[in-house]
Amino acid sequence: AITSLNMSDVDFVQVPSNIWDASLKREKVLELASSLDKLCFIRSLFLQGLLVMESKHAKERLPIADKVLSEWDVLTNHKIESKKELSIAYAKSLNTPLVFGAETQAQIEEISDGLTSIEPLSETQLAQIQDRLLPHLTDQVLNPRSEEHTSELQSPDHLVCRLLLEK
């Protein structure tokens, strides 16, 4: 993203980011985009659905994520709704446009409702979550599209809608 943002003919970028991955903040991508008067869209908020799956299914689909999924369950009290809410709260804390995928109208409505009703995470809350998860995260977990597991995480039976939402 940094390389693209520094290109004079690029006006916006789309970068993956989710509550597990601190690289967007660590690399100051949003600050760079803002300083260059460029727009940065966030995608992969739910890490190809991994962050909102029941743990059993997520562990079956991406076994290398077992340890971080267990910690994620503890943080969210094993509740799917808590997983979605924390992920959305993270997205709101970034204060930048979001691109998300959905398989049903209900999912679109649920995410849209969350974007209007859920409070953003504070820096302290985010740091506590990421500190707890960081020891269990690997590049293979954070970038499942780059792994052989990609086909397992993508549903060939569903059309994925991409929506651009701006505050």
Side-chain angles (χ1 to χ4, degrees):
I2 292 173
T3 301
S4 296
L5 284 168
N6 283 313
M7 295 178 170
S8 61
D9 58 340
V10 172
D11 294 324
F12 64 91
V13 295
Q14 189 182 117
V15 296
S17 185
N18 60 72
I19 194 167
W20 287 10
D21 188 356
S23 62
L24 185 76
K25 289 200 177 245
R26 183 179 59 248
E27 295 171 9
K28 300 183 186 281
V29 173
L30 296 177
E31 290 87 344
L32 176 61
S34 178
S35 73
L36 297 171
D37 200 28
K38 296 184 180 188
L39 192 54
C40 186
F41 290 89
I42 301 303
R43 65 174 170 80
S44 300
L45 177 63
F46 301 115
L47 192 58
Q48 314 307 315
L50 195 67
L51 299 187
V52 293
M53 284 181 193
E54 288 184 35
S55 236
K56 175 184 171 191
H57 299 299
K59 289 175 182 181
E60 289 170 0
R61 291 189 176 194
L62 196 62
I64 59 172
D66 181 65
K67 289 179 182 174
V68 70
L69 285 164
S70 294
E71 286 296 322
W72 183 234
D73 272 345
V74 170
L75 283 169
T76 59
N77 297 315
H78 302 272
K79 295 178 184 171
I80 296 295
E81 290 310 310
S82 297
K83 293 176 181 185
K84 289 177 187 172
E85 289 170 4
L86 267 179
S87 295
I88 291 170
Y90 165 74
K92 286 191 71 171
S93 72
L94 298 175
N95 199 29
T96 193
L98 173 65
V99 178
F100 66 88
E103 295 176 346
T104 66
Q105 180 68 30
Q107 288 176 335
I108 294 169
E109 291 169 2
E110 183 178 14
I111 293 168
S112 297
D113 289 347
L115 288 169
T116 58
S117 64
I118 296 172
E119 292 297 317
L121 288 176
S122 69
E123 289 292 325
T124 302
Q125 291 170 312
L126 182 57
Q128 290 170 341
I129 291 167
Q130 291 178 336
D131 286 348
R132 183 158 186 170
L133 298 176
L134 186 62
H136 310 289
L137 290 169
T138 65
D139 191 53
Q140 293 171 322
V141 172
L142 293 174
N143 297 301
R145 283 185 178 252
S146 66
E147 294 301 308
E148 60 188 75
H149 306 287
T150 300
S151 59
E152 298 171 14
L153 293 172
Q154 302 299 317
S155 172
D157 301 329
H158 298 94
L159 175 64
V160 176
C161 301
R162 297 263 184 219
L163 298 179
L164 296 176
L165 294 179
E166 287 193 58
K167 290 185 174 189

